[in-house]
Amino acid sequence: MPRIILLGPPGAGKGTQADLVVEKLGIPKFSSGDLLRMAVKEGTPLGLEAKAYMDRGDLVPDQVVIGLIEEQLRQPGAAQGWILDGFPRTVAQAEALDQTLEKLGQPWERVIFFDVPDEAIEQRLLNRGRSDDQPEVIRHRLHVYRQETVPVVHFYQKSEGFAHLDGNRDPAAVHADMMALIGNGIP
Ligand code: AMP
């Protein structure tokens, strides 16, 4: 069953594409952003801690996010495959993920990187209108992406299962590429 990691800048369309794969294959999507927003909404201590970081466009501390995602990966439902959206975002998260997956005996099969030029990203985020999609916060999130998450792309780039696609097209075209890559999973 497919185990897929999606990488790319904020607003690249990872969430939308993950949802399409979920619909088609029936595997769960684990989105750190969704999990954090849920915790914020429920007002849990974790949510209260995370909110300040999210409002500023900063990353929530590694330990918090790693814990959230590991909890999901250990659920029995995860044995049928999964798609990760928005995690890992730092090299420390990627290393922790590799260790967890090794322990579970469920290595990732595909890392798919969404290539989208900066200008297109800013426009997409401004159009999306989420509460953390204010111009200043958007610029900061892109800065954090370059500092913290581009190294994650390099971390995976040399692996056999790494693939990238042109994310700057209509969602149906991107989806077709995604399905081709997943169908062609390694191993
Ligand atoms: P997203 O929905 O993926 O754009 O995430 C929204 C916000 O949640 C980000 O700007 C971060 O503040 C936080 N967040 C989501 N995923 C992570 C992660 N893997 N590591 C740290 N912070 C995260």
Side-chain angles (χ1 to χ4, degrees):
M1 268 302 179
R3 291 185 291 271
I4 307 152
I5 297 170
L6 300 186
L7 289 183
K14 302 184 298 292
T16 305
Q17 291 299 328
D19 288 341
L20 292 172
V21 172
V22 167
E23 225 172 84
K24 195 161 263 179
L25 300 183
I27 56 174
K29 165 177 101 162
F30 301 138
S31 156
S32 43
D34 286 353
L35 291 166
L36 289 167
R37 276 184 291 277
M38 213 182 294
V40 170
K41 209 167 136 196
E42 287 169 359
T44 65
L46 189 151
L48 293 178
E49 186 194 345
K51 187 175 186 315
Y53 294 96
M54 296 169 78
D55 286 346
R56 288 196 301 267
D58 278 327
L59 293 182
V60 173
D62 284 335
Q63 252 35 53
V64 174
V65 202
I66 290 169
L68 272 179
I69 291 289
E70 287 191 346
E71 193 184 323
Q72 301 294 317
L73 290 170
R74 289 177 201 285
Q75 305 284 327
Q80 55 171 317
W82 37 257
I83 185 159
L84 281 179
D85 163 26
F87 182 95
R89 265 203 178 58
T90 65
V91 170
Q93 290 177 20
E95 287 170 348
L97 177 64
D98 271 1
Q99 277 177 22
T100 300
L101 296 180
E102 194 177 321
K103 266 188 240 149
L104 290 169
Q106 297 170 356
W108 59 265
E109 290 169 4
R110 274 281 185 212
V111 171
I112 303 177
F113 170 62
F114 285 53
D115 236 332
V116 181
D118 282 2
E119 314 79 68
I121 286 297
E122 280 199 42
Q123 205 46 52
R124 282 190 192 197
L125 290 172
L126 284 167
N127 290 340
R128 194 166 68 172
R130 216 167 66 189
S131 67
D132 57 346
D133 287 339
Q134 309 302 320
E136 277 309 307
V137 180
I138 288 175
R139 263 190 291 278
H140 184 60
R141 274 165 50 215
L142 285 174
H143 171 76
V144 170
Y145 169 75
R146 284 185 210 105
Q147 294 282 116
E148 302 286 343
T149 310
V150 169
V152 178
V153 180
H154 298 144
F155 176 88
Y156 288 122
Q157 211 159 23
K158 292 195 184 74
S159 309
E160 201 185 355
F162 181 91
H164 65 100
L165 51 74
D166 174 3
N168 198 23
R169 294 170 300 156
D170 75 277
V174 177
H175 178 63
D177 276 11
M178 286 267 294
M179 292 313 295
L181 285 171
I182 294 168
N184 183 21
I186 293 172

